[in-house]
Amino acid sequence: VQLQASGGGLVQAGGSLRLSCSASARAFYTMAWFRQAPGKEREFVSSIGWWNGVTNYADSVKGRFTISRDNAKNTLYLQMSSLKPEDTGVYYCALRTGSGVRYDYWGQGTQVTVSS
């Protein structure tokens, strides 16, 4: 299984970016985005049930980020708007293949930098 994240970059505060994550997998249950800022622990950003489409968001991104997926393309997206400098970090996509708590597979990460 491989997860390939892309779409990161440098953007000014208030701007937008869309991240993508293509997955070469056969079993999907939940996919998610996490991020890690310099000197901080990795944190949850958002998740989506692959088949039921149920979404969850961290409070810090609610109303600004939108997670979605294209089942036919096995691709996960994260539309990020009204970006803030505190959104800066490496964004990772993750895949959970069952109903457990842990995510089974992780992408390599894509850097998002928001300048003030």
Side-chain angles (χ1 to χ4, degrees):
V1 174
Q2 287 189 332
L3 303 181
Q4 183 71 39
S6 61
L10 174 63
V11 63
Q12 288 189 333
S16 299
L17 279 175
R18 189 175 85 151
L19 306 183
S20 299
C21 175
S22 60
S24 61
R26 294 185 176 182
F28 294 83
Y29 190 84
T30 302
M31 288 199 75
W33 291 98
F34 291 75
R35 67 186 180 189
Q36 187 167 19
K40 294 188 177 181
E41 293 187 354
R42 188 178 299 184
E43 65 175 359
F44 170 82
V45 175
S46 181
S47 66
I48 186 167
W50 194 254
W51 301 110
N52 62 17
V54 174
T55 59
N56 287 289
Y57 295 93
D59 287 344
S60 58
V61 306
K62 280 181 182 176
R64 300 188 298 120
F65 291 9
T66 302
I67 192 170
S68 62
R69 86 287 192 215
D70 185 327
N71 296 54
K73 296 181 178 179
N74 286 358
T75 302
L76 176 72
Y77 303 100
L78 186 68
Q79 178 67 48
M80 305 185 295
S81 303
S82 302
L83 282 162
K84 305 175 181 180
E86 51 264 44
D87 294 317
T88 294
V90 179
Y91 283 68
Y92 299 90
C93 54
L95 167 65
R96 197 163 67 198
T97 58
S99 58
V101 176
R102 291 181 57 189
Y103 283 82
D104 304 289
Y105 302 99
W106 294 81
Q108 85 289 0
T110 184
Q111 176 71 46
V112 172
T113 304
V114 184
S115 62
S116 57

